[in-house]
């Protein structure tokens, strides 16, 4: 399944609401508004109502800093892609269907001689 099917957009909404500052939330919204503004300028419709081809054209232009996009727009786009990847690969489907998932890699060894390790681990 893709990002839409595993509700990555819902994850991003929740992540923005719970895990980032108000300034970061406003910056993210401003990035979305900026993409919509360029879509309306170039295609006379919002990004979500553009055709798939137009959406790809806009996002490609954003990466290349064409169509009036600037470095701040590209930085936002990279952040959005980062949130998308994080949301997808931490979803059950992304973690278990696309990635190899092994809950305890190598198996659990509860009775392991301390002398083989050499030191204990501290959890702070």
């Amino acid at each position: 399944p893709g990002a839409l099917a595993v509700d990555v957009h819902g994850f991003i909404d929740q992540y923005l609401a719970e895990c980032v500052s108000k300034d970061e939330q406003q910056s993210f919204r401003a990035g979305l508004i900026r993409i919509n503004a360029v879509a309306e300028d170039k295609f006379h419709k919002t990004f979500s109502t553009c055709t798939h081809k137009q959406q790809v054209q806009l996002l490609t232009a954003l990466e290349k800093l064409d169509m009036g996009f600037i470095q701040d727009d590209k930085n936002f786009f990279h952040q959005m892609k980062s949130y998308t990847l994080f949301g997808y690969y931490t979803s059950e489907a992304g973690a278990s269907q696309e990635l190899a998932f092994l809950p305890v890699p190598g198996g659990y060894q509860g009775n392991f001689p301390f002398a083989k390790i050499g030191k204990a681990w501290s959890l702070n």
Side-chain angles (χ1 to χ4, degrees):
L4 184 61
V6 300
D7 193 36
V8 169
H9 54 289
F11 165 83
I12 293 172
D13 284 345
Q14 184 76 24
Y15 185 80
L16 289 171
E18 303 290 333
C19 300
V20 302
S21 69
K22 296 289 182 196
D23 287 343
E24 290 173 284
Q25 291 171 12
Q26 287 180 337
S27 177
F28 195 86
R29 277 191 215 99
L32 294 173
I33 290 167
R34 176 80 174 118
I35 291 173
N36 260 341
V38 173
E40 288 175 357
D41 181 54
K42 300 298 179 189
F43 302 115
H44 308 290
K45 48 187 162 181
T46 64
F47 179 83
S48 63
T49 59
C50 285
T51 66
H52 176 74
K53 183 179 177 181
Q54 290 169 329
Q55 289 175 344
V56 170
Q57 187 178 353
L58 282 164
L59 297 179
T60 301
L62 204 162
E63 279 287 343
K64 294 180 177 180
L65 300 178
D66 290 336
M67 287 190 186
F69 285 113
I70 60 173
Q71 187 62 47
D72 285 347
D73 301 324
K74 186 174 181 176
N75 294 344
F76 157 75
F77 187 45
H78 285 213
Q79 184 68 52
M80 184 174 66
K81 288 192 299 185
S82 169
Y83 288 163
T84 302
L85 290 171
F86 181 54
Y88 181 76
Y89 286 111
T90 57
S91 73
E92 183 176 349
S96 64
Q97 293 178 30
E98 185 165 339
L99 299 175
F101 178 70
L102 190 57
V104 183
Y108 176 71
Q109 298 176 0
N111 189 8
F112 199 84
F114 180 75
K116 283 190 170 188
I117 300 171
K119 63 172 111 174
W121 292 94
S122 170
L123 300 174
N124 294 9

